[in-house]
Short mmCIF file of all heavy atoms in Angstrom, two decimals:
data_model
loop_
_atom_site.label_atom_id
_atom_site.label_comp_id
_atom_site.label_asym_id
_atom_site.label_seq_id
_atom_site.Cartn_x
_atom_site.Cartn_y
_atom_site.Cartn_z
N PRO U 712 54.53 -61.30 10.90
CA PRO U 712 55.07 -62.42 10.05
C PRO U 712 54.31 -63.75 10.25
O PRO U 712 53.86 -64.01 11.32
CB PRO U 712 56.51 -62.54 10.58
CG PRO U 712 56.81 -61.30 11.36
CD PRO U 712 55.46 -60.78 11.83
N SER U 713 54.16 -64.47 9.20
CA SER U 713 53.36 -65.70 9.26
C SER U 713 53.88 -66.69 10.30
O SER U 713 53.10 -67.44 10.92
CB SER U 713 53.25 -66.34 7.86
OG SER U 713 54.56 -66.68 7.43
N GLU U 714 55.18 -66.72 10.51
CA GLU U 714 55.70 -67.67 11.51
C GLU U 714 55.63 -67.15 12.97
O GLU U 714 55.84 -67.94 13.89
CB GLU U 714 57.18 -67.97 11.19
CG GLU U 714 58.14 -66.79 11.41
CD GLU U 714 58.22 -65.76 10.29
OE1 GLU U 714 57.52 -66.02 9.26
OE2 GLU U 714 58.95 -64.79 10.43
N ALA U 715 55.21 -65.88 13.13
CA ALA U 715 55.08 -65.34 14.48
C ALA U 715 53.86 -65.90 15.19
O ALA U 715 52.78 -66.06 14.55
CB ALA U 715 54.99 -63.80 14.43
N ALA U 716 53.98 -66.20 16.49
CA ALA U 716 52.88 -66.62 17.21
C ALA U 716 51.93 -65.48 17.62
O ALA U 716 50.70 -65.67 17.86
CB ALA U 716 53.31 -67.31 18.56
N GLY U 717 52.43 -64.28 17.55
CA GLY U 717 51.63 -63.10 17.91
C GLY U 717 51.81 -62.71 19.36
O GLY U 717 52.55 -63.32 20.14
N GLU U 718 51.05 -61.75 19.72
CA GLU U 718 50.99 -61.25 21.14
C GLU U 718 50.16 -62.26 21.93
O GLU U 718 49.36 -62.98 21.42
CB GLU U 718 50.29 -59.89 21.20
CG GLU U 718 51.12 -58.76 20.47
CD GLU U 718 52.27 -58.35 21.36
OE1 GLU U 718 52.03 -57.74 22.45
OE2 GLU U 718 53.43 -58.39 20.93
N THR U 719 50.46 -62.26 23.20
CA THR U 719 49.66 -63.04 24.12
C THR U 719 48.69 -62.10 24.92
O THR U 719 49.15 -61.08 25.44
CB THR U 719 50.55 -63.84 25.17
OG1 THR U 719 51.38 -64.72 24.40
CG2 THR U 719 49.69 -64.65 26.16
N VAL U 720 47.46 -62.48 24.92
CA VAL U 720 46.40 -61.69 25.61
C VAL U 720 45.94 -62.60 26.80
O VAL U 720 45.56 -63.76 26.57
CB VAL U 720 45.22 -61.42 24.72
CG1 VAL U 720 44.05 -60.81 25.51
CG2 VAL U 720 45.63 -60.40 23.62
N ARG U 721 46.02 -62.03 28.03
CA ARG U 721 45.52 -62.68 29.20
C ARG U 721 44.39 -61.83 29.81
O ARG U 721 44.60 -60.64 30.03
CB ARG U 721 46.63 -62.78 30.25
CG ARG U 721 47.80 -63.65 29.86
CD ARG U 721 48.82 -63.78 30.91
NE ARG U 721 50.11 -64.18 30.49
CZ ARG U 721 50.46 -65.36 30.01
NH1 ARG U 721 49.49 -66.24 29.80
NH2 ARG U 721 51.68 -65.67 29.57
N VAL U 722 43.25 -62.46 30.04
CA VAL U 722 42.18 -61.74 30.68
C VAL U 722 41.63 -62.52 31.84
O VAL U 722 41.32 -63.73 31.70
CB VAL U 722 41.01 -61.51 29.65
CG1 VAL U 722 39.98 -60.53 30.21
CG2 VAL U 722 41.53 -60.99 28.28
N THR U 723 41.54 -61.89 33.02
CA THR U 723 40.95 -62.52 34.14
C THR U 723 39.72 -61.78 34.54
O THR U 723 39.63 -60.57 34.44
CB THR U 723 41.91 -62.62 35.33
OG1 THR U 723 42.32 -61.29 35.67
CG2 THR U 723 43.13 -63.49 35.01
N PHE U 724 38.71 -62.47 35.01
CA PHE U 724 37.43 -61.95 35.45
C PHE U 724 37.17 -62.28 36.88
O PHE U 724 37.11 -63.45 37.24
CB PHE U 724 36.29 -62.57 34.54
CG PHE U 724 36.58 -62.51 33.05
CD1 PHE U 724 37.18 -63.58 32.42
CD2 PHE U 724 36.34 -61.31 32.29
CE1 PHE U 724 37.42 -63.63 31.04
CE2 PHE U 724 36.63 -61.33 30.98
CZ PHE U 724 37.15 -62.39 30.34
N THR U 725 37.13 -61.25 37.68
CA THR U 725 36.94 -61.41 39.13
C THR U 725 35.55 -61.00 39.51
O THR U 725 35.09 -59.84 39.21
CB THR U 725 37.98 -60.60 39.90
OG1 THR U 725 39.26 -60.94 39.53
CG2 THR U 725 37.80 -60.73 41.42
N ASP U 726 34.78 -61.85 40.19
CA ASP U 726 33.42 -61.56 40.59
C ASP U 726 33.44 -60.60 41.75
O ASP U 726 34.09 -60.85 42.79
CB ASP U 726 32.82 -62.95 41.05
CG ASP U 726 31.36 -62.80 41.43
OD1 ASP U 726 30.80 -61.64 41.45
OD2 ASP U 726 30.76 -63.83 41.81
N LEU U 727 32.69 -59.49 41.59
CA LEU U 727 32.59 -58.52 42.62
C LEU U 727 31.18 -58.41 43.15
O LEU U 727 30.66 -57.32 43.40
CB LEU U 727 33.07 -57.14 42.10
CG LEU U 727 34.51 -57.03 41.59
CD1 LEU U 727 34.81 -55.64 41.06
CD2 LEU U 727 35.49 -57.38 42.75
N GLY U 728 30.44 -59.50 43.16
CA GLY U 728 29.05 -59.52 43.64
C GLY U 728 28.11 -58.75 42.70
O GLY U 728 27.55 -57.74 43.11
N GLY U 729 27.96 -59.20 41.47
CA GLY U 729 27.12 -58.54 40.49
C GLY U 729 27.85 -57.62 39.51
O GLY U 729 27.33 -57.23 38.54
N ARG U 730 29.05 -57.25 39.89
CA ARG U 730 29.95 -56.54 39.01
C ARG U 730 31.18 -57.43 38.75
O ARG U 730 31.40 -58.40 39.43
CB ARG U 730 30.36 -55.25 39.69
CG ARG U 730 29.19 -54.34 39.96
CD ARG U 730 29.51 -53.07 40.75
NE ARG U 730 30.12 -52.14 39.81
CZ ARG U 730 31.06 -51.21 40.11
NH1 ARG U 730 31.47 -51.12 41.37
NH2 ARG U 730 31.48 -50.40 39.24
N THR U 731 32.01 -57.03 37.74
CA THR U 731 33.14 -57.83 37.37
C THR U 731 34.35 -56.94 37.18
O THR U 731 34.32 -55.95 36.48
CB THR U 731 32.89 -58.61 36.12
OG1 THR U 731 31.74 -59.45 36.27
CG2 THR U 731 34.04 -59.48 35.73
N GLU U 732 35.43 -57.32 37.81
CA GLU U 732 36.78 -56.67 37.53
C GLU U 732 37.36 -57.49 36.35
O GLU U 732 37.55 -58.68 36.49
CB GLU U 732 37.67 -56.64 38.69
CG GLU U 732 38.98 -55.95 38.28
CD GLU U 732 40.03 -56.01 39.47
OE1 GLU U 732 40.73 -56.97 39.54
OE2 GLU U 732 39.97 -55.02 40.20
N MET U 733 37.67 -56.83 35.24
CA MET U 733 38.32 -57.46 34.16
C MET U 733 39.69 -56.94 34.00
O MET U 733 39.96 -55.72 33.82
CB MET U 733 37.53 -57.14 32.81
CG MET U 733 38.08 -57.78 31.56
SD MET U 733 37.14 -57.36 30.08
CE MET U 733 37.60 -55.62 29.87
N ALA U 734 40.65 -57.79 34.26
CA ALA U 734 42.08 -57.41 34.19
C ALA U 734 42.62 -57.98 32.82
O ALA U 734 42.57 -59.21 32.61
CB ALA U 734 42.90 -57.97 35.36
N PHE U 735 43.21 -57.12 31.98
CA PHE U 735 43.59 -57.46 30.66
C PHE U 735 45.05 -57.09 30.56
O PHE U 735 45.53 -56.04 30.98
CB PHE U 735 42.79 -56.58 29.68
CG PHE U 735 43.30 -56.61 28.28
CD1 PHE U 735 42.77 -57.49 27.36
CD2 PHE U 735 44.27 -55.67 27.84
CE1 PHE U 735 43.36 -57.51 26.07
CE2 PHE U 735 44.73 -55.72 26.59
CZ PHE U 735 44.25 -56.68 25.66
N HIS U 736 45.83 -58.02 29.90
CA HIS U 736 47.20 -57.79 29.61
C HIS U 736 47.51 -58.32 28.15
O HIS U 736 47.15 -59.46 27.89
CB HIS U 736 48.17 -58.49 30.62
CG HIS U 736 49.58 -58.19 30.25
ND1 HIS U 736 50.24 -56.98 30.49
CD2 HIS U 736 50.53 -58.95 29.65
CE1 HIS U 736 51.46 -57.06 30.10
NE2 HIS U 736 51.65 -58.22 29.52
N GLN U 737 48.15 -57.48 27.38
CA GLN U 737 48.63 -57.88 26.12
C GLN U 737 50.17 -57.69 26.10
O GLN U 737 50.62 -56.57 26.40
CB GLN U 737 48.01 -57.10 24.92
CG GLN U 737 48.59 -57.43 23.60
CD GLN U 737 48.13 -56.58 22.45
OE1 GLN U 737 46.98 -56.06 22.55
NE2 GLN U 737 48.93 -56.34 21.46
N GLY U 738 50.91 -58.73 25.73
CA GLY U 738 52.32 -58.62 25.77
C GLY U 738 53.00 -59.67 24.85
O GLY U 738 52.29 -60.51 24.23
N GLY U 739 54.26 -59.65 24.90
CA GLY U 739 54.96 -60.62 24.11
C GLY U 739 56.21 -59.98 23.47
O GLY U 739 57.08 -60.66 23.00
N GLY U 740 56.24 -58.61 23.48
CA GLY U 740 57.37 -57.93 23.03
C GLY U 740 57.50 -57.85 21.47
O GLY U 740 58.54 -57.51 20.96
N ASN U 741 56.40 -58.22 20.82
CA ASN U 741 56.43 -58.16 19.37
C ASN U 741 56.19 -56.79 18.78
O ASN U 741 56.36 -56.59 17.55
CB ASN U 741 55.37 -59.18 18.78
CG ASN U 741 55.73 -60.55 19.21
OD1 ASN U 741 56.76 -61.12 19.05
ND2 ASN U 741 54.68 -61.21 19.77
#
């Protein structure tokens, strides 16, 4: 719906010394 804010996406990037852990969450209950 046009009035809906939509889902919330949160992404964190953790440095693993040349590699990266990407933690992704999508939520909001829509």
Side-chain angles (χ1 to χ4, degrees):
S713 60
E714 69 278 359
E718 293 282 297
T719 299
V720 170
R721 297 181 199 295
V722 191
T723 58
F724 308 97
T725 303
D726 183 358
L727 300 176
R730 299 175 79 208
T731 303
E732 180 183 89
M733 181 180 72
F735 168 92
H736 179 78
Q737 176 185 331
N741 299 307

